[in-house]
């Protein structure tokens, strides 16, 4: 197959998987592969679909491999990088008359490269861009400005730093003057009222110029931009400025078709101007304070003349957002507090923004999953739809103390809407939907993604409104309720769940379970979402609901969910609705041990789903949460059943190398192996081949799971692995793959922890420590990072804390000294000791015990006051923190468990790996012999000082501490 054919195959779901595998292989084995892709993009004789696929793949490779160290990918050859830098800008110019999608992908690729190399490693980029800018060819201007915007836009989200400001200042030096010249020429032409040749390209240029204005002022306002504020924002006495003029600019030739959802160029220009106004109102208010009211009037006028067309949504929502931002500042409170202003805001902006529009109803019916995703993302992130932005405006007015008058005004509209509904429920159902949204808007004062509404308006009785107007719509026996109103009722519970007590929620759960049987996609999905979030609720740190609360409903919920999931007639359809699977996961977590008697049925359904979705993996987040349900319900008594049920899918995944599932399957295998109390069963021995194969470690997503599975093998079978030579391979993996990696070095140390507690100290010292320590010192010399030094320090203390004969502090120090005499002093003093104060709560006990043993057992430490005394002080400070480690362990475990439970901000979860948190291995305590850390440390020091004159002399610190005074006095402390 030609490259073009492979790219076309990647566009079909049936051939996607194999095509992506082929492309992945070609990208690392075919010389000048990126150059070939770029040539294909430019080749007009190729099918446009192949060219578009090539452009997208080109950008994605640039993203992953230009800065290969960031993603641990195969690097792009430097010669090809240099060639591409020369070719990209001319390629964009060559695409000036072609489809925008092609240009967009190439421009994004340039931006990705620039994010790594510009300006230091790509000094020729900016002069090349500036050389093409000219008022004579606006098609070329569009291409050049698209590239410039792709470079500069990234600065908006970056943290302020010297490097960032150097890049911005470097850019301004050569780009600022051409930018203003092209801006003035373009704006003058468009606002002249005269016929403009190639109007569309000129308008696109103006749109990009507006975006770049925002890019260049986002971090700070450059002096030239500050000086030109009157030209852009206008003055009260003179010219009203470019921005207000463009807010009124709407040439008939660019109006287009109102049914087309794509915004017109004038609409895009206005939207960006409103973003600029928001930025200046937030960051540079003092520079435009005398023009804010003029802009408020212009924006109010803009909203009043806008239509309900989808293409104007972004503009209208940004306009409302600007009003909200301005209100929140409180500077113009008198303006907003005026009764006429509030009535006008309600009548002309808030209330008209609330009703559902026909395209939204159509999406509810024809694309229900997208409707749900959009509704959830808007309700948690804000913005994006008119009704959500109008709700934010209400909250902005509340924030400046106008909650009482705003509530009073909006309640009048709610009452009118409910009366309209009561007059004719079947025809006026939208009125009730509007009333519910208005009530939600004025009842909500604060909300979070995780908890829904957290603070409510004291003037609104939420429970009363629910009882009188919403509860009846949950009755599944009422066929006359419009499906959207039924969803509104379910979503009301979802939104205000933390305002309801457990006693109020318990009777609601059976109603929600009934709705899992609804024939309406949105209704049963929202029911699943709401059940899942209710079961996740906590009272303090304790789950509000446990297995007793749902025992009678568990089987019913799971049966209904599995029916819905397995209704799909293709792997893609089965995996499309992650919300249903997330509810399955949450039910299995909540039901816990009470699920064991009936779990074979649940397991068979989960395995059935797994067997289907591995045929064509399409939804990574579905796969992730689906596999999170597996490790919850087995122990040693049921492990054989689990192994038998999962053996088929696991074999298929490993044999077919289905990369999307391998990281999860390895974690499940690890946990199943951990459940076995004896040695490694024979059925698992074949996995050693996978663990020892270098190819298994190439894919970064596999590494954490491979390490966990290797740790399980080492913990149970290290002696046999050593006898068969596998430990040498493990050490080679640590030495060549993990320790050198900035991304994966912590996993190398995780393996080393297991190795030092499972391999005999003599073998470690004679065979493995030299290779391991040489790799460590090489990494310290070439690319030391904070994460690496932390992991190294923790491993040293972990090893010295282990109560293994022959593996004491002296053994560790001797191993280090065998690499180079005298190196321990530098390693401990400069690298290890500074990390002690940074230790996380979970690590403090092992570190404190290991450090105590170093201070009391090591001859070298006891002979070196310059190391011993600072280490003693560090230990005293550490133990004061470590006394609370037990509580901290609970906190961190909970943090890991709940971190994945936040709703995803995007349509689907795209991470290549996720930890199956419910299957986290038990943390091994190298100092499990220490029951009371503080007592152990103090008693050990006391005995050492009493028995060793060196220790007694060392505690005489130049600046005594409570511990040193007590030890010198021979007193217990």
């Amino acid at each position: 197959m030609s490259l073009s054919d492979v790219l076309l195959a990647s566009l079909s779901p049936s051939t996607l998987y194999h095509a992506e595998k082929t492309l992945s292989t070609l990208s690392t084995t075919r010389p000048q592969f990126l150059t070939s892709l770029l040539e294909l993009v430019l080749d007009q004789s190729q099918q446009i679909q192949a060219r578009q696929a090539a452009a997208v793949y080109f950008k994605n490779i640039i993203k992953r491999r230009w800065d290969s160290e960031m993603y641990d990918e195969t690097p792009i050859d430097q010669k090809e990088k240099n060639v591409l830098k020369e070719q990209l800008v001319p390629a964009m110019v060559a695409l000036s008359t072609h489809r925008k999608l092609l240009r967009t992908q190439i421009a994004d690729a340039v931006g990705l490269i620039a994010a790594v190399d510009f300006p230091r490693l790509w000094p020729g980029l900016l002069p090349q861009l500036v050389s093409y800018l000219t008022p004579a060819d606006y098609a070329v201007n569009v291409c050049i400005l698209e590239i410039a915007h792709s470079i500069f836009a990234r600065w908006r989200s970056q943290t302020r730093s010297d490097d960032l400001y150097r890049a911005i200042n470097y850019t301004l030096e050569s780009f600022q003057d051409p930018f203003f010249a092209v801006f003035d020429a373009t704006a003058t032409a468009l606002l002249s009222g005269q016929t403009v040749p190639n109007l569309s390209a000129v308008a696109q240029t103006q749109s990009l110029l507006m975006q770049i204005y925002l890019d260049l002022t986002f971090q700070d306002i450059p002096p030239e931009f500050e000086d030109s504020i009157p030209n852009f924002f206008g003055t009260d006495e003179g010219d009203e400025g470019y921005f207000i003029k463009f807010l009124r600019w709407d040439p008939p030739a660019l109006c287009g078709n109102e049914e087309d959802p794509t915004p017109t160029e004038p609409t895009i220009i206005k939207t960006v101007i409103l973003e600029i106004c928001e930025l200046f109102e937030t960051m540079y208010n003092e520079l435009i304070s005398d023009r804010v009211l003029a802009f408020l009037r212009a924006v109010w006028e803009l909203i009043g003349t806008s239509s309900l067309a989808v293409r104007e949504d972004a503009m209208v929502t940004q306009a409302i957002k600007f009003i909200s931002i301005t209100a929140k500042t409180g500077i113009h409170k008198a303006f907003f507090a005026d009764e006429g202003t509030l009535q006008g805001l309600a009548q002309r902006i808030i209330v008209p923004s609330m009703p559902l529009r026909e395209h939204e109803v159509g999406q509810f019916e024809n694309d229900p999953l997208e409707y749900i995703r959009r509704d959830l993302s808007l309700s948690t992130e804000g913005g994006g739809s008119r009704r959500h932005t109008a709700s934010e405006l209400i909250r902005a007015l509340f924030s400046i103390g106008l909650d009482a008058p705003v509530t009073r005004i909006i309640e009048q509209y709610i009452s009118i809407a409910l009366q309209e509904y009561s007059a004719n429920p079947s025809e006026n159902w939208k009125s009730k939907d509007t009333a519910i949204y208005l009530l939600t808007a004025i009842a909500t004062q604060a909300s979070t993604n995780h908890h829904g509404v957290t603070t409510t308006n004291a003037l609104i009785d939420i429970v009363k409104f629910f009882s009188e107007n919403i509860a009846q719509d949950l009755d599944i026996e009422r066929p006359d309720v419009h499906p959207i109103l039924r969803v509104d009722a379910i979503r009301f519970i979802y939104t205000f769940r933390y305002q309801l007590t457990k006693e109020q929620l318990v009777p609601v759960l059976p109603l929600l379970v009934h709705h899992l049987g609804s024939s309406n996609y949105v209704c049963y999905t929202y029911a699943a979402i709401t059940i899942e979030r209710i079961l996740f609720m906590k009272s303090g740190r304790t789950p509000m609901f446990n297995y007793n609360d749902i025992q009678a409903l568990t089987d019913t919920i799971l049966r209904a969910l599995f029916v819905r999931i397995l209704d799909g007639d293709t792997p893609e359809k089965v995996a499309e609705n992650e919300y249903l699977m997330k509810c399955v996961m949450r039910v299995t977590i909540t039901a816990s041990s009470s699920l064991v008697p009936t779990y074979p049925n649940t397991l068979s359904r989960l395995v059935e789903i797994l067997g289907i979705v591995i045929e064509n993996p399409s939804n990574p987040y579905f796969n992730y949460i689906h596999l999170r349900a597996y490790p919850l319900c087995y122990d040693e008594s049921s492990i054989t059943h689990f192994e038998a049920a999962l053996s088929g899918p696991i074999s298929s995944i490993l044999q077919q190398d289905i990369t999307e599932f391998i990281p999860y399957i390895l974690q499940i295998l690890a946990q199943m192996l951990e459940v076995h109390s004896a040695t490694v069963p024979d059925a698992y021995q074949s996995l050693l081949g996978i663990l020892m194969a270098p190819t298994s470690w190439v894919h970064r997503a596999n590494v954490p799971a491979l390490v966990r599975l290797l740790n399980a093998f080492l913990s149970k079978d290290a002696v046999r692995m050593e006898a068969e030579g596998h430990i040498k391979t493990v050490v080679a993996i640590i030495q060549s793959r993990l320790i050198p990696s900035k991304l994966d070095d912590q996993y190398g140390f995780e393996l080393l922890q297991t190795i030092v507690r499972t391999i005999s100290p003599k073998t470690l010292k004679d065979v493995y420590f030299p290779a391991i320590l040489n790799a460590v010192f090489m990494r310290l010399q070439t690319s030391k990072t904070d994460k690496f030094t932390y992991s190294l320090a923790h491993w040293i203390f972990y090893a010295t804390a282990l109560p293994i004969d022959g593996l004491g502090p002296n053994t560790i120090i001797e191993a280090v000294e065998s690499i180079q005499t005298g190196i321990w002093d530098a390693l401990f003093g400069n690298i290890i000791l500074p990390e002690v104060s940074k230790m996380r709560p979970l690590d403090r006990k092992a570190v404190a015990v290991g450090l105590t043993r170093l201070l009391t057992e090591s001859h070298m430490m006891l002979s070196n006051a310059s190391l011993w005394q600072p280490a003693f002080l560090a230990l005293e400070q550490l133990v004061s923190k470590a006394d609370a480690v037990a509580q901290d362990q609970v906190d961190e475990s909970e943090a890991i468990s709940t971190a994945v439970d936040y709703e995803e901000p995007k349509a689907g979860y795209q991470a290549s790996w996720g930890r199956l948190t419910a299957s986290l291995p038990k943390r091994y305590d190298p100092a499990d012999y220490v029951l009371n850390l503080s007592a152990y440390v103090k008693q050990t020091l006391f005995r050492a000082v009493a028995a060793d004159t060196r220790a007694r002399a060392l505690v005489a610190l130049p600046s005594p501490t409570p511990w040193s005074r007590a030890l010198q006095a021979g007193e217990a402390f």
Side-chain angles (χ1 to χ4, degrees):
M1 292 176 72
S2 68
L3 179 57
S4 176
D5 291 335
V6 177
L7 287 163
L8 288 170
S10 72
L11 302 177
S12 170
S14 61
T15 54
L16 168 65
Y17 182 74
H18 294 294
E20 286 189 338
K21 285 256 183 187
T22 303
L23 287 169
S24 179
T25 301
L26 287 173
S27 71
T28 54
T29 59
R30 179 170 171 173
Q32 304 296 306
F33 179 72
L34 284 169
T35 305
S36 300
L37 279 178
L38 187 59
E39 289 171 353
L40 199 157
V41 172
L42 297 173
D43 187 351
Q44 297 186 48
S45 67
Q46 297 288 343
Q47 294 184 47
I48 187 61
Q49 294 87 348
R51 296 173 67 195
Q52 289 173 345
V56 172
Y57 200 71
F58 179 88
K59 180 193 73 174
N60 289 339
I61 292 182
I62 294 293
K63 181 178 181 179
R64 294 197 313 270
R65 292 177 49 204
W66 196 273
D67 185 9
S68 57
E69 192 174 83
M70 178 177 291
Y71 296 98
D72 243 13
E73 295 271 1
T74 305
I76 299 168
D77 181 72
Q78 188 60 48
K79 290 182 180 178
E80 186 168 22
K81 283 186 173 184
N82 295 337
V83 170
L84 289 171
K85 286 179 181 179
E86 293 295 326
Q87 292 179 344
L88 281 168
V89 174
M92 278 291 289
V93 174
L95 292 170
S96 61
T97 58
H98 293 64
R99 294 193 179 192
K100 185 176 180 180
L101 178 60
L102 296 177
R103 297 201 314 270
T104 299
Q105 300 301 324
I106 302 304
D108 285 348
V110 175
L112 289 164
I113 296 170
V116 179
D117 288 359
F118 178 79
R120 187 173 61 87
L121 299 178
W122 200 356
L125 174 60
L126 211 54
Q128 197 175 26
L129 293 178
V130 171
S131 70
Y132 280 104
L133 275 179
T134 169
D137 191 339
Y138 276 97
V140 171
N141 283 346
V142 168
C143 294
I144 298 305
L145 293 173
E146 283 175 344
I147 294 177
H149 177 49
S150 74
I151 298 168
F152 306 154
R154 298 175 186 280
W155 296 340
R156 300 186 192 181
S157 59
Q158 290 183 16
T159 304
R160 294 186 174 196
S161 67
D162 291 342
D163 286 343
L164 174 61
Y165 279 99
R166 273 193 291 270
I168 294 173
N169 289 331
Y170 170 84
T171 298
L172 291 169
E173 286 176 8
S174 54
F175 190 80
Q176 173 173 269
D177 290 343
F179 168 78
F180 282 127
V182 175
F183 194 111
D184 289 337
T186 307
T188 300
L190 291 174
L191 296 171
S192 67
Q194 304 299 314
T195 301
V196 178
N198 199 8
L199 178 61
S200 178
V202 180
Q204 287 181 58
T205 299
Q206 187 64 65
S207 174
L208 287 162
L209 288 165
M210 293 291 185
Q211 290 280 14
I212 291 170
Y213 186 101
L214 183 59
D215 298 336
L216 296 177
T217 57
F218 203 88
Q219 290 285 346
D220 201 353
I221 183 163
E224 291 292 330
F225 283 77
E226 184 173 348
D227 293 342
S228 65
I229 280 178
N231 296 337
F232 290 89
F233 287 88
T235 62
D236 287 341
E237 297 80 19
D239 188 88
E240 59 185 355
Y242 286 138
F243 290 156
I244 284 184
K245 289 176 183 177
F246 272 113
L247 287 177
R248 300 194 183 108
W249 182 69
D250 204 9
L254 295 177
C255 284
N257 181 0
E258 191 168 308
E259 298 301 317
D260 184 352
T262 306
T264 63
E265 287 301 332
T267 302
I268 295 172
I269 289 170
K270 293 169 187 176
T271 305
V272 180
I273 289 171
L274 292 165
E275 291 181 58
I276 294 169
C277 291
E278 178 191 342
L279 172 70
F280 273 69
E281 177 67 2
T282 304
M283 291 184 62
Y284 320 121
N285 176 270
E286 71 283 357
L287 299 177
I288 63 165
S289 57
D290 59 341
R291 295 292 294 158
V292 170
L293 291 179
F295 272 87
L296 281 172
R297 288 190 291 269
V299 169
W300 201 306
E301 178 186 331
L302 177 66
I303 296 173
T305 57
S306 65
S307 70
L308 293 176
V310 176
R311 66 182 185 176
E312 294 189 8
D313 281 356
M315 179 189 73
V316 173
T317 55
Q318 187 60 46
I320 299 173
K321 191 176 179 183
F322 170 68
I323 296 174
S324 299
I325 293 293
T326 306
K328 276 184 180 179
T329 65
I331 297 172
H332 304 282
K333 181 176 179 179
F335 171 80
F336 287 103
D338 180 76
E339 180 71 15
T341 301
L342 291 176
Q343 291 286 358
L345 287 171
Q347 182 180 356
R348 298 182 60 184
I349 297 177
I350 295 172
V351 175
S353 298
M354 290 296 177
L356 275 176
R357 289 173 293 163
E358 288 305 315
H359 79 276
E360 292 168 318
V361 177
Q363 188 178 60
F364 181 94
E365 296 168 350
N366 302 318
D367 193 1
L369 191 56
E370 185 58 30
Y371 176 92
I372 294 164
R373 286 171 174 162
R374 180 171 170 77
D375 194 53
L376 284 173
S377 67
L378 292 173
S379 63
T380 58
E381 295 173 7
S385 89
R386 301 191 188 201
R387 57 170 32 177
H388 284 91
T389 315
S391 299
E392 288 300 315
L393 175 55
I394 289 174
R395 282 189 275 282
L397 295 171
F398 282 6
S399 71
I400 57 173
L402 301 178
D403 40 337
V406 172
T407 300
R408 171 177 50 78
I409 292 169
I410 298 300
E411 280 187 321
Q412 296 169 3
Y413 287 97
I414 293 172
S415 178
I416 293 170
L418 290 174
Q419 290 172 17
E420 290 174 354
Y421 170 75
S422 299
N424 193 338
S426 61
E427 290 293 325
N428 297 336
W429 63 267
K430 283 187 182 179
S431 296
K432 184 171 183 180
D433 174 79
T434 300
I436 293 171
Y437 260 91
L438 283 169
L439 187 283
T440 301
I442 61 171
T444 303
Q445 287 197 324
S447 63
T448 68
N449 188 338
H450 205 36
H451 297 100
V453 173
T454 55
T455 307
T456 57
N457 183 350
L459 301 173
I460 301 295
D461 188 336
I462 294 168
V463 175
K464 180 182 178 183
F465 185 86
F466 176 79
S467 301
E468 294 179 354
N469 299 289
I470 293 179
Q472 60 268 31
D473 292 342
L474 287 171
D475 186 354
I476 203 166
E477 302 299 326
R478 287 188 56 194
D480 57 325
V481 178
H482 193 281
I484 289 181
L485 292 183
R486 208 180 292 281
V487 170
D488 285 345
I490 296 170
R491 185 175 49 233
F492 194 89
I493 297 169
Y494 167 84
T495 302
F496 292 105
R497 59 190 181 275
Y498 270 93
Q499 277 61 57
L500 302 174
T501 64
K502 180 177 179 178
E503 290 69 28
Q504 290 170 322
L505 287 168
V506 166
V508 168
L509 275 173
L511 293 174
L512 294 173
V513 173
H514 282 303
H515 286 294
L516 292 176
S518 169
S519 60
N520 183 273
Y521 191 106
V522 180
C523 187
Y524 68 69
T525 301
Y526 245 113
I529 291 166
T530 306
I531 291 169
E532 190 276 328
R533 288 291 87 184
I534 288 174
L535 295 183
F536 184 71
M537 291 172 67
K538 288 180 170 58
S539 177
R541 291 194 177 96
T542 306
M544 188 178 293
F545 291 85
N546 58 40
Y547 63 89
N548 289 320
D549 299 310
I550 66 165
Q551 193 166 13
L553 299 171
T554 298
D555 287 346
T556 305
I557 296 173
L558 291 175
R559 277 199 306 270
L561 291 169
F562 286 133
V563 166
R564 291 300 179 199
I565 294 169
L566 290 166
D567 267 349
D569 53 3
T570 65
E572 296 84 4
K573 292 296 290 183
V574 168
E576 77 170 4
N577 194 331
E578 64 264 24
Y579 303 108
L580 300 180
M581 184 50 71
K582 192 170 185 180
C583 189
V584 170
M585 178 202 72
R586 185 64 57 206
V587 171
T588 61
I589 290 173
T590 306
S592 189
S593 58
S594 71
L595 194 61
V596 171
T598 59
Y599 196 72
N601 295 329
T602 302
L603 180 62
S604 67
R605 289 290 175 267
L606 289 170
V607 172
E608 181 181 358
I609 292 167
L610 181 59
I612 294 170
V613 297
I614 63 175
E615 293 176 14
N616 191 19
S618 57
N619 186 344
Y621 189 53
F622 179 95
N623 301 337
Y624 167 59
I625 53 179
H626 161 235
L627 289 165
R628 278 194 65 197
Y630 284 86
L632 299 172
C633 304
Y634 53 76
D635 52 27
E636 195 160 10
S637 64
S638 60
I639 190 64
T640 303
H641 180 73
F642 268 83
E643 290 170 334
L646 287 167
S647 62
I650 287 176
S651 296
S652 297
I653 289 166
L654 295 177
Q655 290 169 8
Q656 297 174 41
D657 191 26
I658 304 175
T659 55
E660 292 87 343
F661 285 89
I662 287 177
Y664 304 120
I665 291 305
L666 292 173
Q667 289 180 74
I668 291 174
L669 284 167
Q671 191 190 11
M672 291 195 299
L673 179 55
E674 289 159 0
V675 168
H676 288 278
S677 58
T679 59
V680 176
D682 291 340
Y684 287 83
Q685 292 296 334
S686 62
L687 294 172
L688 277 172
I690 296 173
L691 293 174
M692 299 298 118
T695 53
S696 299
W697 296 84
V698 172
H699 189 40
R700 274 209 68 240
N702 292 346
V703 170
L706 286 167
V707 167
R708 178 173 177 184
L709 186 52
L710 254 182
N711 278 330
F713 269 92
L714 287 166
S715 297
K716 298 181 183 300
D717 224 0
V719 174
R720 180 160 68 170
M721 289 179 68
E722 166 63 19
E724 295 176 355
H726 293 307
I727 301 300
K728 289 183 179 178
T729 306
V730 174
V731 171
I733 290 168
I734 295 170
Q735 183 182 6
S736 61
R737 169 65 181 87
L738 299 178
I739 292 297
S741 169
K742 289 182 181 179
L743 296 174
D744 296 325
D745 48 19
Q746 73 273 26
Y747 299 113
F749 286 108
E750 195 175 311
L751 274 175
L752 287 175
Q753 289 175 16
T754 310
I755 284 175
V756 295
R757 64 181 171 84
T758 56
I759 304 299
S760 73
K762 185 177 187 309
T763 303
L764 284 172
K765 185 176 180 181
D766 295 344
V767 181
Y768 299 122
F769 272 163
I772 291 167
L773 291 171
N774 271 313
V776 166
F777 282 115
M778 179 64 70
R779 174 64 194 280
L780 285 172
Q781 290 173 353
T782 57
S783 54
K784 182 177 68 173
T785 64
D786 291 344
K787 178 163 69 76
F788 183 80
T789 54
Y790 181 99
S791 299
L792 170 61
H794 178 256
W795 176 63
I796 293 289
F797 291 124
Y798 183 101
T800 55
L802 286 165
I804 298 174
D805 289 341
L807 187 71
N810 289 310
T811 302
I812 300 299
I813 294 175
E814 288 167 8
V816 172
E817 286 286 294
S818 71
I819 303 300
Q820 181 180 324
T821 303
I823 202 172
W824 170 258
D825 288 7
L827 177 68
F828 186 82
N830 299 330
I831 303 296
I832 296 174
L833 188 57
E835 297 297 322
V836 172
S837 63
K838 305 173 188 175
M839 288 295 156
R840 294 184 291 262
L842 275 174
D843 296 332
R844 288 173 188 161
K845 179 185 176 185
V847 170
V849 173
L851 183 53
T852 301
R853 293 192 64 190
L854 274 169
L855 291 174
T856 58
E857 298 178 28
S858 165
H859 301 305
M860 183 172 287
M861 292 294 292
L862 285 163
S863 302
N864 191 333
S866 64
L867 292 183
W868 197 96
Q869 291 181 336
F872 175 83
L873 292 173
L875 177 62
E876 185 172 351
Q877 293 170 359
L878 181 66
V879 171
S880 66
K881 300 177 185 176
D883 287 336
V885 71
Q887 181 59 52
D888 286 328
Q889 285 175 333
V890 173
D891 292 346
E892 184 159 323
S893 173
E894 181 177 282
I896 293 172
S897 178
T898 61
V900 296
D901 289 304
Y902 289 84
E903 307 294 349
E904 294 302 319
K906 294 181 283 191
Y909 180 73
Q910 296 300 319
S912 60
W913 177 81
R915 189 184 298 274
L916 302 180
T917 54
S919 70
L920 289 174
K922 183 180 179 182
R923 185 181 175 90
Y924 183 87
D925 181 5
D928 57 358
Y929 55 92
V930 175
L931 302 180
N932 184 314
L933 177 63
S934 182
Y936 166 83
V937 172
K938 293 175 181 179
Q939 290 168 12
T940 303
L941 288 169
F942 185 85
R943 287 194 296 269
V945 169
D948 194 320
T949 56
R950 294 173 301 176
R952 196 176 310 127
L954 289 167
V955 296
L957 302 179
S959 300
T961 67
W963 282 21
S964 68
R965 290 192 190 95
L967 288 168
Q968 281 184 284
E971 300 172 351
F973 64 106

